[in-house]
Amino acid sequence: MNREQRKHLEKRLLKARSRATREIGQYDESFASALRGGDSDLAAYSFHMADQGTDAMEREKAFLFASKEGRHLYHIDEALRRLYQAPEAFGQCEHCGEEISFERLDTLPHARLCIRCKEKEETSAG
């Protein structure tokens, strides 16, 4: 992989990181507003059992989305760490050591495995 391709992937990773942190911030705001509640029918401490169940389900759903986004942010940060620590080695498969195709990295810039190793990993896990 050449320097220009690495620069392109760095920009993609930084853009994805910015988006992920913005998404997590929105989830944080929605958690805070749900807990503040207020006098509305959508308050976190409503009195009707059905409303309480709906509110709990919405909070849990938001938490799951935020958790997923947090894992995504972790993978992006790890890819940036690999890129900055060893730029020449960035894009090499962690299992077989072969170069991950630029097309794969352009689609999934935080990929750690080449297609062949990823397929093996998924078939052995399933």
Side-chain angles (χ1 to χ4, degrees):
M1 177 179 318
N2 64 40
R3 181 179 161 96
E4 186 176 304
Q5 289 172 323
R6 283 193 302 268
K7 263 303 195 204
H8 171 77
L9 294 174
E10 177 186 21
K11 287 179 186 177
R12 294 273 323 248
L13 286 164
L14 291 172
K15 186 175 180 180
R17 186 180 196 290
S18 174
R19 187 199 57 76
T21 54
R22 192 171 48 252
E23 287 286 324
I24 290 172
Q26 288 175 351
Y27 290 125
D28 189 39
E29 288 174 18
S30 72
F31 286 139
S33 67
L35 291 176
R36 279 193 298 273
D39 295 330
S40 71
D41 289 338
L42 301 176
Y45 299 105
S46 56
F47 295 109
H48 193 277
M49 285 177 54
D51 290 338
Q52 289 177 350
T54 300
D55 292 344
M57 182 186 73
E58 290 300 319
R59 282 192 304 273
E60 185 173 334
K61 191 167 60 171
F63 174 76
L64 290 173
F65 286 136
S67 178
K68 181 180 178 187
E69 201 64 40
R71 283 190 306 275
H72 185 237
L73 181 59
Y74 170 78
H75 291 297
I76 292 168
D77 284 344
E78 285 297 301
L80 285 167
R81 181 189 55 76
R82 290 191 309 269
L83 177 64
Y84 294 146
Q85 284 183 348
E88 291 77 26
F90 185 78
Q92 291 180 345
C93 178
E94 290 183 1
H95 284 175
C96 69
E98 290 186 27
E99 189 169 316
I100 301 171
S101 71
F102 180 74
E103 292 78 19
R104 175 166 168 71
L105 287 171
D106 193 32
T107 303
L108 191 68
H110 61 275
R112 300 174 303 110
L113 305 174
C114 66
I115 290 286
R116 190 176 34 212
C117 289
K118 185 63 177 175
E119 286 173 348
K120 287 178 189 174
E121 180 183 74
E122 288 180 358
T123 56
S124 67

